[in-house]
Amino acid sequence: MWRYLDKKYMSKKTKIERMEFEDASLVSEMADGRQRVVPIVVGDDEPQEEVDIPEILPILTLRSSVLFPGAITPITVGRDKSIALVRAVNQEGGMLGAVLQRESEVDDPTPADMYRVGTAARIIKILEMPNGNLTVILNGLQKIEVHEYVATQPYFKARVSSLRDSTPDLKSVEFEALVDSIRDTALGIINISPSMPKEAAFAIKNIDSKRGIINFICSNMELADDDRQALLEAPGLLARARKLLEILVREQQLAELKNEIQERVKQEIDKQQRDYYLQQQMRTIQEELGDTNDADLERLEEAAAKKKWPEEVAKLFKKELQKLSRINPAVAEYTVQITYLELLLELPWEEYTEDNLDLKAARAQLDRDHFGLEEVKDRILEHLAVIKLKGDLKSPILCLYGPPGVGKTSLGKSVAAALGRKFGRISLGGLHDESEIRGHRRTYIGAMPGRIIQTIKRCGSSNPVIILDEVDKLTVSNHGDPSSALLEVLDPEQNTTFHDNYIDMEYDLSKVLFIATANNIQNIAPALRDRMEMINIPGYLMEEKVSIALDHLLQKQREAHGIEAGQMTLSPATVEQIIGGYTREAGVRSLDKQLAKLARSRAKQIAFEEAYEAEIGSEEVQRVLGMPKFLKDEYEVGGMTGVVTGLAWTEVGGDILYIESVLTPGKGALSLTGNLGDVMKESATIAHEWVKAHYAELGIDPVMFEKHDLNIHVPEGAIPKDGPSAGITMVTSIVSTYTKRQVKERIAMTGETTLRGRVTPVGGVKEKILAAKRAGITELILSEENRKDVAEIKADYIEGLTFHYVRTNDEVLRLALI
């Protein structure tokens, strides 16, 4: 019931950090450095403070808290908008309006969510909390009515007017009786509530002001929002007192009823303890007479007799079964013990499924389910080949990493089907508790085995294929580091004796084929990354996406929507239109969603018996999917000076970008624009310094460096850009600007440069080449060390492109500039 009355606030002299309450007043420092003394309770013989309320007030939205005039109340502020308001008002030394929102669950209220009546207040003190929130001590001044909101950003501002409470004759017999009843009822509630601080009664007894006692109790009661607001909106002090007495009487009745219920519960617990004592005596007597219920013991013993498990597990099971026989079935420990024994029986100790060693059939299964991914498929087939020759092999620990939507997770199911094994999946995204991997010890209430053991139990074999999804999303907390717990799971030298805290036994995981998936391997702990065989699954080229759509996704959507093969077909050109205009990704997840939209539209046509063509054409694609959301990247800077085409890698594939540079009169300063990261800024500095160091060979007048500023800009400034791969592109742009030499048409480049002028390799070459071909580029300049990356790409995909491999900046300039 009481919200703020505790020893911290009710002691005679209380300090909240450096804020002091003394002699029923509060000393606070104003914005100009002067001090203002604010009385905590205003006496009846003291006039109410005359306050000049501004017409426009900042409005602080309160959640489950109401500020009353004349009351000093701490308010916790956590929303960004509210924190900005409090800091601004405190800095200006002004006022604010405190208004309750109608629904406390609304995180971002609008003016329609607010009550119309609130309280004008001054800020006395702001306390910074460790969690980033603020505790604001507000002094309620006067009721206000909100007429209209004039601003919502950066915080609410509203046009308000004052509402003065009508004050009855304070010496009226009726009013005195009403206040005495309120005081007595409040003291009665405190006396019958054992959790209520006794200092609350001391405060109530020592407040002589009638107005003060009413507002004091209103401010500190724990009530429903509408009750608190009704008290504030009461038209005068007399009406508020009547409403308050009504609420207090109701609260007193609830407190009395609560005490009665607690007394009955206490008596019931005493009875349960007595019954438990008698049951223990009865069990002792039954054991003496040999009259016990052994149904559970017999069932477990029969199941154990049929189980083929290691000898040490059998010994442990027998020991724990004997412990179960000594436990009373009525106690909670009995359930814990029987659950543990049933888990030991359900685990597939040394039970394995037989691998499908038909390598051709396995290859066909993998090709049927996934297009491309040759490196992964070859690794699985190599594993099967060794098993076929040797008869036994520890399973490899694979980690498939790449952008979202390329088929990393679904590949696990395909591998399990090809091997003829059971399949399990463990999602590690956001996991922060080590016990989720190793399990909880049985001494804890609600203990359970870790996810590894649970998955093996669910699969029913000790050699399933288990996908460890999103292994790069593991987090560290005070509950331990799950990635460190995975070290034992994913180490072939250790996982033969994996220890789960719940089963408290070693379990052999060496036959389990673990396949981890990740988007960014930089987020994986180095020790964990070292234990896995890393296989990169890059984004798909346009030709690969077309094949995946026609051979896999289209058939999947037809089956999902009940459409026959002859009722919905797509041409390669139409698929290319969907990919280019409606998706921007490295994988095919968005493409699958777009095909699902087309399938739903075709299903509707079939159900309504509308006329349609079996092949979906370009016009129907645009009708169903709308106007294209993405424009095709086209080369558009041919024959210009200072503008060079570069290549970039993004999480959704490759892209082209332009590096622009221009000279302006100045003193040789270098300015960089375009939302560039630190690494990219350093690349620009290196490129500029290299050009200045080789001005003679490049034919540049050194005076230009002293009398001109150089600005380098990368368009699309709203998009952050970083990385070193634009180094040679910046060198070419700078030299072109200083020498006025034009850049060759339809040529693009990517590579890092050094101060010595060497061109070093970069990553994401496959995705960058895809972007270049999509944009109509015909010539590409790459580092000599990137030649091996191009060799891994199918020749069909790079047809029409000419590659130039370079080692120095000089070679780049000879190839790129006219």
Side-chain angles (χ1 to χ4, degrees):
M1 167 187 165
W2 298 95
R3 304 172 64 224
Y4 305 115
L5 293 181
D6 56 24
K7 293 182 179 180
K8 183 171 70 173
Y9 287 94
M10 298 313 306
S11 60
K12 187 173 182 181
K13 289 187 179 180
T14 303
K15 293 186 179 180
I16 303 178
E17 290 193 355
R18 291 183 296 176
M19 187 172 65
E20 299 184 358
F21 292 86
E22 296 188 2
D23 302 325
S25 66
L26 184 145
V27 180
S28 70
E29 188 167 307
M30 300 176 67
D32 58 2
R34 293 179 293 113
Q35 291 189 330
R36 178 176 65 244
V37 178
V38 182
I40 293 179
V41 178
V42 179
D44 292 335
D45 55 347
E46 298 176 28
Q48 286 184 279
E49 182 183 358
E50 289 294 331
V51 182
D52 185 15
I53 305 296
E55 183 182 3
I56 304 296
L57 270 184
I59 301 299
L60 176 65
T61 58
L62 303 182
R63 195 200 304 256
S64 299
S65 180
V66 171
L67 179 66
F68 286 82
I72 295 177
T73 305
I75 301 293
T76 299
V77 177
R79 289 182 281 214
D80 294 341
K81 186 180 291 187
S82 298
I83 291 175
L85 183 151
V86 168
R87 295 193 188 279
V89 172
N90 186 57
Q91 185 176 5
E92 298 170 1
M95 295 183 190
L96 58 81
V99 180
L100 177 67
Q101 64 185 65
R102 298 180 184 275
E103 299 293 338
S104 61
E105 294 81 10
V106 178
D107 288 328
D108 189 13
T110 64
D113 298 323
M114 314 286 289
Y115 284 98
R116 308 302 296 180
V117 176
T119 304
R122 285 196 185 100
I123 297 175
I124 297 177
K125 187 71 174 178
I126 297 178
L127 306 177
E128 302 280 351
M129 297 293 104
N131 60 359
N133 293 342
L134 302 179
T135 295
V136 185
I137 311 298
L138 295 179
N139 177 23
L141 301 175
Q142 191 169 307
K143 277 200 312 185
I144 57 172
E145 181 179 3
V146 177
H147 296 290
E148 64 173 333
Y149 285 83
V150 297
T152 59
Q153 295 295 335
Y155 44 77
F156 289 123
K157 291 184 179 179
R159 181 171 287 106
V160 302
S161 62
S162 300
L163 293 176
R164 293 188 63 84
D165 283 333
S166 61
T167 304
D169 183 4
L170 299 179
K171 296 182 180 180
S172 164
V173 176
E174 178 189 358
F175 188 69
E176 286 185 358
L178 191 58
V179 172
D180 289 342
S181 298
I182 290 173
R183 192 191 307 272
D184 293 341
T185 306
L187 291 173
I189 293 173
I190 295 172
N191 290 333
I192 64 176
S193 301
S195 61
M196 200 77 68
K198 301 308 175 187
E199 290 81 2
F202 175 84
I204 292 174
K205 290 177 181 178
N206 285 276
I207 297 177
D208 297 325
S209 168
K210 298 181 180 63
R211 182 190 304 117
I213 191 67
I214 292 171
N215 285 337
F216 180 83
I217 295 176
C218 287
S219 298
N220 292 282
M221 286 187 64
E222 184 64 49
L223 297 174
D225 291 349
D226 51 354
D227 283 341
R228 282 202 290 271
Q229 187 66 22
L231 286 171
L232 178 65
E233 293 179 2
L237 198 59
L238 182 61
R240 185 177 301 156
R242 288 172 178 165
K243 179 68 176 177
L244 176 59
L245 180 60
E246 175 188 333
I247 294 173
L248 284 175
V249 170
R250 184 187 67 195
E251 292 293 321
Q252 186 178 30
Q253 292 173 348
L254 289 174
E256 291 172 350
L257 182 59
K258 178 181 176 182
N259 286 344
E260 292 178 9
I261 294 172
Q262 289 177 342
E263 184 63 25
R264 287 200 299 268
V265 170
K266 181 177 180 300
Q267 294 174 358
E268 185 67 23
I269 292 175
D270 292 340
K271 181 178 180 300
Q272 290 176 358
Q273 291 176 340
R274 175 177 174 274
D275 292 344
Y276 171 73
Y277 176 74
L278 294 176
Q279 286 173 355
Q280 286 294 96
Q281 288 184 325
M282 289 176 61
R283 177 153 183 88
T284 303
I285 295 172
Q286 287 176 342
E287 288 178 350
E288 290 295 326
L289 296 174
D291 185 18
T292 58
N293 185 1
D294 295 331
D296 286 337
L297 298 175
E298 292 176 1
R299 175 175 60 84
L300 294 173
E301 286 177 347
E302 290 177 3
K306 302 175 183 177
K307 193 77 175 175
K308 296 180 179 178
W309 49 16
E311 183 179 351
E312 58 271 20
V313 180
K315 289 181 180 179
L316 175 66
F317 182 86
K318 184 176 180 180
K319 176 183 175 182
E320 296 295 330
L321 191 63
Q322 291 174 351
K323 186 187 297 184
L324 179 69
S325 65
R326 297 191 296 268
I327 300 176
N328 181 9
V331 301
E333 187 182 352
Y334 182 85
T335 303
V336 174
Q337 187 69 7
I338 199 170
T339 301
Y340 172 68
L341 292 171
E342 287 175 344
L343 174 67
L344 292 180
L345 288 171
E346 292 172 356
L347 282 174
W349 303 93
E350 297 183 352
E351 296 179 18
Y352 306 103
T353 56
E354 186 175 350
D355 286 334
N356 174 22
L357 299 180
D358 186 343
L359 301 185
K360 293 183 179 179
R363 179 75 193 201
Q365 174 76 38
L366 294 172
D367 289 338
R368 184 165 57 251
D369 292 343
H370 288 81
F371 180 85
L373 308 181
E374 299 300 331
E375 186 178 357
V376 186
K377 295 175 182 177
D378 289 342
R379 186 65 187 87
I380 298 301
L381 293 174
E382 290 168 2
H383 177 68
L384 284 176
V386 175
I387 293 177
K388 185 174 183 178
L389 296 177
K390 184 184 176 186
D392 184 29
L393 179 66
K394 289 183 178 180
S395 293
I397 312 294
L398 306 180
C399 179
L400 313 180
Y401 68 94
V406 295
K408 301 184 297 295
T409 303
S410 61
L411 184 65
K413 291 183 180 180
S414 179
V415 170
L419 294 175
R421 294 189 182 187
K422 301 292 183 65
F423 173 75
R425 175 179 171 272
I426 301 175
S427 178
L428 300 177
L431 200 70
H432 59 83
D433 190 349
E434 175 192 356
S435 299
E436 293 285 346
I437 305 297
R438 286 205 176 104
H440 305 79
R441 299 192 183 279
R442 283 184 291 143
T443 52
Y444 295 105
I445 296 175
M448 57 194 306
R451 295 196 183 188
I452 302 294
I453 294 298
Q454 289 184 47
T455 303
I456 289 177
K457 169 192 164 186
R458 188 166 57 249
C459 291
S461 73
S462 290
N463 65 335
V465 175
I466 296 181
I467 287 285
L468 300 175
D469 216 2
E470 310 292 359
V471 72
D472 58 328
K473 309 297 191 302
L474 289 169
T475 58
V476 181
S477 72
N478 58 337
H479 297 288
D481 183 2
S483 62
S484 298
L486 279 177
L487 294 178
E488 182 183 6
V489 176
L490 301 180
D491 190 339
E493 301 301 323
Q494 298 183 47
N495 63 10
T496 55
T497 56
F498 172 69
H499 184 87
D500 185 276
N501 292 329
Y502 184 82
I503 63 175
D504 202 22
M505 281 287 295
E506 295 176 348
Y507 198 95
D508 185 5
L509 300 178
S510 62
K511 303 296 190 297
V512 179
L513 176 54
F514 289 104
I515 301 179
T517 70
N519 298 127
N520 186 358
I521 60 173
Q522 302 302 321
N523 295 335
I524 304 176
L528 184 60
R529 192 165 63 237
D530 183 60
R531 283 164 169 77
M532 298 185 290
E533 187 175 336
M534 311 301 293
I535 298 178
N536 183 25
I537 302 181
Y540 295 113
L541 300 173
M542 173 67 79
E543 291 82 356
E544 293 174 326
K545 289 184 180 181
V546 171
S547 297
I548 292 171
L550 296 176
D551 298 341
H552 300 275
L553 301 182
L554 181 59
Q555 178 62 25
K556 167 188 167 185
Q557 294 300 336
R558 283 196 296 238
E559 294 176 357
H561 294 84
I563 301 173
E564 296 180 3
Q567 294 176 321
M568 177 181 175
T569 60
L570 290 169
S571 67
T574 303
V575 176
E576 287 188 15
Q577 176 191 355
I578 298 171
I579 295 170
Y582 300 92
T583 68
R584 184 61 60 89
E585 57 177 347
V588 292
R589 188 168 290 150
S590 293
L591 175 59
D592 191 33
K593 293 177 182 177
Q594 302 305 321
L595 294 180
K597 288 183 182 179
L598 294 174
R600 290 194 297 270
S601 175
R602 179 51 51 89
K604 178 183 173 184
Q605 291 175 328
I606 296 172
F608 279 89
E609 298 182 353
E610 299 174 1
Y612 63 88
E613 293 290 336
E615 181 175 328
I616 296 178
S618 174
E619 294 183 359
E620 186 169 0
V621 168
Q622 190 161 320
R623 179 183 64 81
V624 176
L625 303 183
M627 294 298 293
K629 298 177 177 60
F630 303 102
L631 298 177
K632 186 176 180 182
D633 294 327
E634 288 287 356
Y635 177 79
E636 55 186 28
V637 296
M640 297 179 67
T641 300
V643 183
V644 185
T645 306
L647 300 174
W649 178 92
T650 69
E651 291 185 355
V652 294
D655 202 356
I656 64 171
L657 56 81
Y658 299 109
I659 305 295
E660 304 174 352
S661 60
V662 65
L663 292 175
T664 57
K667 298 181 179 180
L670 172 65
S671 60
L672 306 172
T673 56
N675 201 351
L676 309 184
D678 292 339
V679 176
M680 201 166 185
K681 289 179 180 178
E682 291 176 358
S683 294
T685 303
I686 292 171
H688 190 220
E689 294 301 322
W690 182 87
V691 172
K692 290 167 69 176
H694 296 79
Y695 71 91
E697 301 96 306
L698 299 173
I700 301 174
D701 184 357
V703 177
M704 296 183 69
F705 297 126
E706 300 175 358
K707 295 185 177 181
H708 292 85
D709 293 341
L710 176 66
N711 175 256
I712 299 177
H713 176 67
V714 184
E716 299 186 32
I719 302 175
K721 311 168 191 71
D722 206 358
S725 61
I728 62 173
T729 315
M730 291 181 174
V731 168
T732 306
S733 176
I734 294 170
V735 173
S736 173
T737 299
Y738 276 115
T739 61
K740 308 301 181 183
R741 295 168 64 186
Q742 293 183 350
V743 181
K744 287 183 180 179
E745 291 195 7
R746 301 201 175 274
I747 189 168
M749 61 193 70
T750 180
E752 181 179 358
T753 186
T754 69
L755 276 175
R756 295 179 296 159
R758 289 188 62 250
V759 179
T760 57
V762 294
V765 172
K766 181 179 179 181
E767 290 83 356
K768 292 176 180 179
I769 291 174
L770 168 62
K773 188 174 181 182
R774 187 169 61 233
I777 300 295
T778 57
E779 294 184 68
L780 290 173
I781 300 177
L782 302 171
S783 168
E784 176 66 38
E785 297 174 54
N786 281 126
R787 186 189 294 269
K788 62 182 184 305
D789 300 309
V790 179
E792 295 176 357
I793 304 174
K794 291 183 178 179
D796 295 343
Y797 297 159
I798 57 177
E799 185 178 354
L801 293 176
T802 302
F803 293 93
H804 303 286
Y805 301 102
V806 297
R807 297 184 183 276
T808 65
N809 290 342
D810 294 330
E811 297 178 58
V812 175
L813 298 175
R814 280 196 297 271
L815 291 167
L817 297 180
I818 297 175

